[in-house]
């Protein structure tokens, strides 16, 4: 548990002072090693970011020069019009609205029900609790692909296929959220809730007034991960949402590609950039929580 | 550490027995009330479908809703279905390429980023970008990057003097390796973070001690870092294995199983039989195979890990 805590509490100011700096930092051998590290890192970063660079640059090219031979990495003429045309030629506004509705809804449900259940699992002892939690954790390893068919039949029979509700329900009750929150709750000292209990606070009060405020970092992690996953989900919408007025960003853009005989790739790339930018901004703002959430998922309880 | 009925009674030794059971009931009710909102969704959307898929696999359930119990017929049919064989083989092929490649690349990146260099934060962000990008954007960009004639990748290869570069996603030999590369590129940031977290648990003193004993970087990696990383390595391998066996979304957007059946995997077989051909019973049988495959491989990994830990 201590590992989890260490990761999620704010990182101590860079541990630069702690380590090997002292051992011969100035020797030529070490300098070469350091330079080599940088070369490797820059090569890796280039490989990672080049597709993005190409995507952004292509969104500013006219249709014909996206595939010019030899390639022009930077457009010769910047076609800002692509960003105007995507709004006119597609229903991107509808897709954005649907995506936002679903992502916000799923995130809200996942965080509330997940942290609520985590309190039950970590703070209240009752018969069968641990077996139940084991069941939750075990299903994290069960591939969704193996039960997507019965799930679809059930939701269709309930009349929920082809509604945004289906996507909301599909994503909102993941076991992962419960697991992540429980991991964090176990790091909060029991004495705090004990004291509140003596002061006459009910269990629900302890959850709302003590646990939730103390677990803001974990909530941020869970919210970010859930939001990004829902925003980017492709298979769920592909199965459930037939009606174009219900399409999410991913589905809309995917159909935009196949619906036109002569795709203007410049315009299409503009749409792709628009779909990536909000997530990129959210990620950059909350990177710390994002990374800690993932690191925590690696720590077994 | 949680409070229990027993603890409370220990404290106030002389509470009547009736009281104990009432307290216990009370905590059971409170506990369940916390879990219930999530649990209802969990049961309806995960647990019941998982159980149902086993039942469905034993029926000839189809779009008309007729469902007769036909025993193991679906599984017999799977055993003789050559397209299922190739899907099964392709899944294993994908896993065998993807797992070691992703471990190597993400561990390598984590080791680089664990060194105290300036600008590490920037590189970590860069490594994460593919992970947060939508799969549709990834598929389109890579499809065009890897396009045989006009794609930048082959243009660069041609520039480097390579005659007849591979057709990548259009070639039945190269499509799967290309899919593996894209999936590795997409996921390495995630696993890198797990490895970075693991690397922080490696005791610094051990490294220093090994260095004083004259161990070089490679020896330190093999005898200090790797053993300390074992729990992380185990977790990453388990996650990567399940992820490889169930791969679907990237394949659908990138190759749709083609060319021919070169990249059709088990999950896509389930998808096609279920959602496109409405053979729900038959596709459920394939689902059960996928489920059992994941389960068995995970159990083997757990046993292996236990044996090595002793």
């Amino acid at each position: 548990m201590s590992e989890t805590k260490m990761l999620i509490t704010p990182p101590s100011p860079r541990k630069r002072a702690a380590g090997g700096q002292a051992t011969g930092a100035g020797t030529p051998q070490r300098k070469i090693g350091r330079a080599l590290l940088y070369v490797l890192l820059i090569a890796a970063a280039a490989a990672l970011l080049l597709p993005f660079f190409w995507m952004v640059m292509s969104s500013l090219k006219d249709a014909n020069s996206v595939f010019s031979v030899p390639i022009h990495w930077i457009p010769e003429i910047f076609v800002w019009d692509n960003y105007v045309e995507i709004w006119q030629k597609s229903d991107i506004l509808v897709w954005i609205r649907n995506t936002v509705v679903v992502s916000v809804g799923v995130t809200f449900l996942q965080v509330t029900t997940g942290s609520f259940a985590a309190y039950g699992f970590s703070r209240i002892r009752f018969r069968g609790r641990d077996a139940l939690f084991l069941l939750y954790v075990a299903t994290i390893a069960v591939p969704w692909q193996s039960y997507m068919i019965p799930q679809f039949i059930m939701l269709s029979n309930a009349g929920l296929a082809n509604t945004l509700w289906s996507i909301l329900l599909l994503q909102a009750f993941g076991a992962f959220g419960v697991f992540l929150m429980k991991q964090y709750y176990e790091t909060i000292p029991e004495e705090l809730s004990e004291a509140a209990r003596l002061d006459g606070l009910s269990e629900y009060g302890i959850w709302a007034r003590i646990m939730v405020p103390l677990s803001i970092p974990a909530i941020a992690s869970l919210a970010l991960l859930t939001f990004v996953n829902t925003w980017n989900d492709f298979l769920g919408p592909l199965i459930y949402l037939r009606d174009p007025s219900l399409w999410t960003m991913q589905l809309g853009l995917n159909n935009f590609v196949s619906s036109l005989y002569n795709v203007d790739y410049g315009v299409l790339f503009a749409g792709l950039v628009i779909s990536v930018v909000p997530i990129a901004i959210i990620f950059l703002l909350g990177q710390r929580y994002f990374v800690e959430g993932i690191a925590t998922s690696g720590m077994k309880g | 550490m949680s409070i229990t009925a027993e603890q409370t009674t220990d404290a106030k030794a002389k509470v009547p027995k009736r009281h104990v059971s009432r307290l216990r009931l009370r905590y059971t009710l409170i506990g369940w009330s916390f879990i219930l909102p999530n649990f209802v969704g969990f049961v309806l959307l995960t647990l019941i479908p998982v159980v149902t898929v086993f039942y469905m696999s034993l029926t000839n359930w189809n779009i008309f809703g007729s469902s007769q119990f036909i025993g193991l017929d679906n599984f017999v049919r799977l055993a003789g279905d050559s397209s299922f064989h190739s899907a099964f083989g392709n899944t294993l092929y994908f896993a065998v390429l993807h797992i070691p490649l992703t471990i190597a690349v993400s561990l390598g990146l984590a080791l680089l980023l664990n060194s105290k260099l300036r600008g590490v934060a920037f590189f970590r962000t860069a490594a994460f970008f593919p992970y947060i990008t939508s799969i549709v954007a990834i598929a389109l960009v890579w499809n065009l990057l890897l396009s045989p004639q006009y794609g930048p990748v082959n243009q660069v290869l041609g520039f480097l003097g390579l005659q007849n570069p591979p057709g990548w996603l259009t070639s039945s030999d190269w499509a799967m390796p290309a899919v593996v590369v894209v999936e590795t590129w997409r996921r390495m940031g995630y696993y890198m973070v797990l490895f970075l977290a693991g690397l922080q648990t490696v005791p610094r003193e051990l490294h220093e001690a090994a260095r004083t004993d004259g161990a070089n970087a490679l020896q330190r990696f093999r005898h200090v870092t790797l053993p300390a990383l074992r729990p992380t390595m185990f977790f990453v391998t388990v996650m990567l294995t399940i992820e490889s066996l169930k791969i679907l979304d990237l394949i659908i957007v990138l190759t749709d199983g083609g060319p021919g059946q070169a990249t059709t995997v088990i999950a896509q077989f389930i998808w096609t039989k279920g959602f496109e051909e409405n053979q729900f019973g038959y596709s459920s049988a394939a689902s059960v195979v996928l489920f059992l495959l994941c389960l068995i491989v995970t159990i083997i990994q757990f046993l292996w890990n236990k044996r090595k830990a002793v």
Side-chain angles (χ1 to χ4, degrees):
Chain A
M1 268 334 102
S2 58
E3 289 166 344
T4 315
K5 193 176 184 188
M6 187 190 79
L7 280 162
I8 237 166
T9 43
S12 54
R14 287 272 155 237
K15 294 167 196 145
R16 203 163 275 157
Q21 291 279 19
T23 46
T27 62
Q29 208 189 348
R30 257 188 108 73
K31 268 187 186 156
I32 294 172
R34 183 152 292 223
L36 205 69
L37 275 182
Y38 270 113
V39 170
L40 274 172
L41 269 179
I42 289 166
L48 283 160
L49 292 179
L50 211 57
F52 291 99
F53 179 73
W54 193 68
M55 178 171 85
V56 174
M57 286 304 138
S58 299
S59 75
L60 296 168
K61 292 176 185 168
D62 68 74
N64 296 323
S65 49
V66 170
F67 293 111
S68 60
V69 179
I71 25 166
H72 294 285
W73 290 99
I74 313 269
E76 287 166 318
I77 315 155
F78 284 80
V79 188
W80 298 100
D81 261 7
N82 288 338
Y83 283 89
V84 179
E85 276 188 50
I86 183 76
W87 297 91
Q88 294 162 346
K89 283 189 177 170
S90 72
D91 293 327
I92 195 168
L93 204 61
V94 176
W95 306 337
I96 292 176
R97 196 202 61 204
N98 291 335
T99 313
V100 169
V101 166
V102 167
S103 306
V104 170
V106 167
T107 306
F108 176 76
L109 281 174
Q110 171 81 76
V111 168
T112 46
T113 67
S115 71
F116 207 54
Y119 186 85
F121 278 123
S122 75
R123 280 298 194 265
I124 299 167
R125 191 166 293 176
F126 56 93
R127 195 176 292 243
R129 182 193 75 172
D130 294 337
L132 193 63
F133 185 67
L134 199 65
L135 185 72
Y136 259 81
V137 175
T139 56
I140 294 179
V142 175
W144 170 77
Q145 284 82 341
S146 73
Y147 61 87
M148 62 186 175
I149 303 271
Q151 195 185 47
F152 175 73
I153 294 176
M154 281 174 62
L155 283 173
S156 301
N157 288 342
L160 292 171
N162 208 10
T163 66
L164 289 181
W165 286 107
S166 58
I167 307 301
L168 224 58
L169 292 172
L170 212 59
Q171 307 265 18
F173 303 103
F176 174 72
V178 180
F179 177 71
L180 190 87
M181 292 309 296
K182 179 176 181 278
Q183 291 283 76
Y184 193 79
Y185 282 173
E186 314 250 293
T187 67
I188 298 176
E190 175 75 28
E191 290 78 35
L192 281 174
S193 22
E194 203 58 61
R197 219 166 266 142
L198 289 177
D199 287 346
L201 217 56
S202 72
E203 297 296 324
Y204 308 101
I206 296 174
W207 173 76
R209 298 232 212 125
I210 294 180
M211 295 307 256
V212 169
L214 282 177
S215 61
I216 293 293
I219 290 177
S221 295
L222 179 59
L224 277 170
L225 286 168
T226 310
F227 190 88
V228 170
N229 281 337
T230 314
W231 183 282
N232 285 338
D233 184 30
F234 176 64
L235 291 179
L238 184 61
I239 296 176
Y240 285 95
L241 306 177
R242 307 270 162 194
D243 189 343
S245 69
L246 296 174
W247 284 351
T248 57
M249 204 67 197
Q250 308 305 322
L251 209 50
L253 285 171
N254 195 53
N255 278 295
F256 189 65
V257 185
S258 43
S259 67
L260 299 171
Y261 284 107
N262 236 330
V263 192
D264 184 335
Y265 277 100
V267 176
L268 178 64
F269 277 112
L272 292 178
V273 171
I274 292 173
S275 83
V276 172
V277 161
I279 289 298
I281 292 173
I282 287 174
F283 168 68
L284 288 175
L285 290 177
Q287 189 180 180
R288 206 188 94 207
Y289 299 113
F290 206 88
V291 168
E292 279 160 12
I294 288 171
T296 311
S297 74
M299 302 295 144
K300 281 168 290 154
Chain B
M1 293 305 277
S2 329
I3 62 158
T4 61
E6 288 88 343
Q7 269 176 8
T8 325
T9 40
D10 280 347
K12 310 169 196 163
K14 283 165 200 153
V15 182
K17 230 178 177 171
R18 190 161 45 84
H19 207 92
V20 178
S21 65
R22 195 185 297 163
L23 254 181
R24 190 174 286 164
L25 178 70
R26 192 166 155 250
Y27 279 113
T28 305
L29 287 179
I30 293 178
W32 271 99
S33 72
F34 272 102
I35 292 164
L36 213 57
N38 191 275
F39 190 67
V40 170
F42 174 72
V43 167
L44 287 176
L45 291 145
T46 304
L47 224 47
I48 293 181
V50 168
V51 175
T52 311
V53 86
F54 279 87
Y55 167 73
M56 282 173 67
S57 71
L58 303 174
T59 69
N60 62 358
W61 198 319
N62 59 24
I63 187 74
F64 309 110
S66 84
S67 79
Q68 288 159 329
F69 189 82
I70 55 169
L72 294 174
D73 283 8
N74 284 326
F75 293 94
V76 173
R77 192 176 145 203
L78 274 183
D81 188 335
S82 65
S83 65
F84 184 71
H85 293 172
S86 79
F88 198 92
N90 286 338
T91 307
L92 296 186
Y93 181 39
F94 178 87
V96 165
L97 289 181
H98 179 57
I99 298 169
L101 184 65
T102 307
I103 289 180
V105 173
S106 53
L107 179 56
L109 212 57
L111 287 170
L112 282 180
L113 290 186
N114 200 40
S115 53
K116 290 168 289 298
L117 292 172
R118 213 161 299 190
V120 156
F122 167 77
F123 292 112
R124 196 177 61 183
T125 308
F128 235 89
F129 251 77
Y131 178 75
I132 58 156
T133 304
S134 79
I135 194 143
V136 174
I138 289 175
L140 264 162
V141 169
W142 278 94
N143 239 319
L144 300 180
L145 282 175
L146 293 171
S147 149
Q149 280 169 14
Y150 310 111
V153 169
N154 275 0
Q155 281 193 45
V156 170
L157 288 178
F159 179 76
L160 294 174
L162 195 77
Q163 305 292 321
N164 299 319
W168 302 118
L169 297 167
T170 58
S171 138
S172 46
D173 288 335
W174 285 98
M176 194 56 110
V179 171
V180 168
V181 166
V182 177
E183 177 72 0
T184 302
W185 174 83
R186 177 159 87 107
R187 303 292 294 181
M188 62 200 249
Y190 179 86
Y191 291 104
M192 179 201 75
V193 167
L194 291 178
F195 277 125
L196 266 176
L199 282 173
Q200 278 164 17
T201 66
V202 180
R204 208 166 270 285
E205 307 78 52
L206 269 182
H207 259 287
E208 296 302 328
R211 201 197 297 264
T212 349
D213 288 350
N216 63 30
L218 194 69
Q219 285 168 328
R220 288 202 303 271
F221 174 70
R222 268 194 59 193
H223 299 291
V224 178
T225 311
L226 268 189
L229 268 185
R230 220 177 47 83
T232 312
M233 190 65 93
F234 169 68
F235 180 74
V236 167
T237 313
V238 170
M239 296 294 290
L240 258 176
T241 308
I242 294 172
E243 189 194 295
S244 302
L245 295 177
K246 71 178 189 188
I247 179 77
L248 175 62
D249 50 1
L250 187 70
I251 300 241
I252 285 191
V253 287
L254 208 53
T255 63
D256 203 17
Q261 288 198 343
T263 56
T264 307
V265 288
I266 299 179
Q268 205 188 3
F269 182 88
I270 298 170
W271 177 279
T272 313
K273 294 295 166 195
F275 293 128
E276 285 168 18
E277 298 173 17
N278 296 313
Q279 303 184 45
F280 297 135
Y282 191 44
S283 90
S284 295
S287 303
V288 168
V289 172
L290 177 64
F291 178 91
L292 293 178
L293 186 65
C294 288
L295 185 73
I296 290 167
V297 172
T298 308
I299 288 175
I300 291 174
Q301 286 171 333
F302 265 92
L303 293 178
W304 179 268
N305 184 52
K306 222 173 182 177
R307 223 187 61 187
K308 280 194 119 182
V310 172

